[in-house]
Amino acid sequence: MNEPREFLIDMTQPAEERWQDVIAACKRNALKLSRWVLGSLERVPLSHVIRGAIAASHKRSDSLFDDDLSAWAAGMGMPHRDLIAVNAAHEMAQFSETKLTGTAFVTHSDSLGLVHGRNLDWDVKGLGESTVVYHFVGGPLEFMAISFPGLVGVLSGMGPGRFSVTLNRTTPQGRPTLDWSPQILVRHVLETARDYQDAFEALSATELRTPAIFTLVGADRTRACVIERTRKDAAVREYDGTPLIASTHYLTPSLAQHN
């Protein structure tokens, strides 16, 4: 696979300007991925009900980045509502048989200190060639994200000098609520959390639309953890010198009943 394309996203510019180079370069892949997602979502039982809940939730928390989503929808020629659904695919996949799995890990290297790795095992043709790296500058705090065109939330990101964070989905526990989308929360944390502790508190305490598993590693290379979340509660597995692994199921005994 070729190296992913890298783009500078200047948050001081209006949304349509900050994304114009990315859309021009990646529109074809964005449309291809979006059509695949929308086709998959149509097979979800009660898809129209869940998509309605997602749209309502968007107005509450996801609209934090609505200017970005609107710029992408206009650039792709896609209805705004459809792109909202595409951006919610990570949590809506909990209600389908679509394979959107992944694994994150934290381990120690003698030369590097703590290493945070992440693999996505998604059953989406062409996903690898669509991967992009965004460098967000000009906002409250600079950060980078490994992402896909058309996605405004973050699944994997790093705030230089602060922390890195990755997101995995996990077992569904009822319908989505009107709370924070996990990937929107990850982006918000990357934009606003000044250190590991700020990020830890937000990822642990913010009520979520769907359950999720976060892996968080501090830039000082001394602290790392896996935060296993239900929508409201959190169980934390701290790095203790042995490798930490996070996939799509809970390892904390008190939450294992949900697996």
Side-chain angles (χ1 to χ4, degrees), residues 232-255:
K232 296 184 178 182
D233 300 320
V236 179
R237 294 190 283 120
E238 297 276 2
Y239 178 76
D240 61 3
T242 58
L244 274 175
I245 303 294
S247 187
T248 56
H249 57 282
Y250 299 119
L251 294 183
T252 303
S254 61
L255 298 182

Side-chain angles (χ1 to χ4, degrees), residues 71-183:
W72 270 101
M76 294 166 61
M78 175 174 287
H80 188 264
R81 183 181 177 91
D82 284 351
L83 198 57
I84 290 175
V86 171
N87 272 263
H90 188 258
E91 52 259 43
M92 289 188 70
Q94 298 189 53
F95 302 89
S96 73
E97 296 180 357
T98 302
K99 189 174 76 170
L100 297 183
T101 58
T103 301
F105 70 86
V106 182
T107 190
H108 182 270
S109 162
D110 290 339
S111 59
L112 299 174
L114 289 183
V115 176
H116 184 180
R118 203 282 176 75
N119 173 70
L120 287 181
D121 182 18
W122 286 17
D123 188 20
V124 183
K125 186 177 181 180
L127 192 70
E129 64 188 29
S130 300
T131 302
V132 291
V133 177
Y134 297 140
H135 298 268
F136 289 86
V137 299
L141 292 168
E142 296 185 1
F143 67 98
M144 63 177 293
I146 302 172
S147 192
F148 309 106
L151 185 69
V152 301
V154 175
L155 303 177
S156 304
M158 179 180 69
R162 295 182 289 139
F163 56 84
S164 59
V165 58
T166 53
L167 165 66
N168 285 27
R169 73 184 185 98
T170 188
T171 309
Q173 297 154 37
R175 294 181 180 178
T177 65
L178 301 184
D179 297 302
W180 280 79
S181 159
Q183 58 263 38

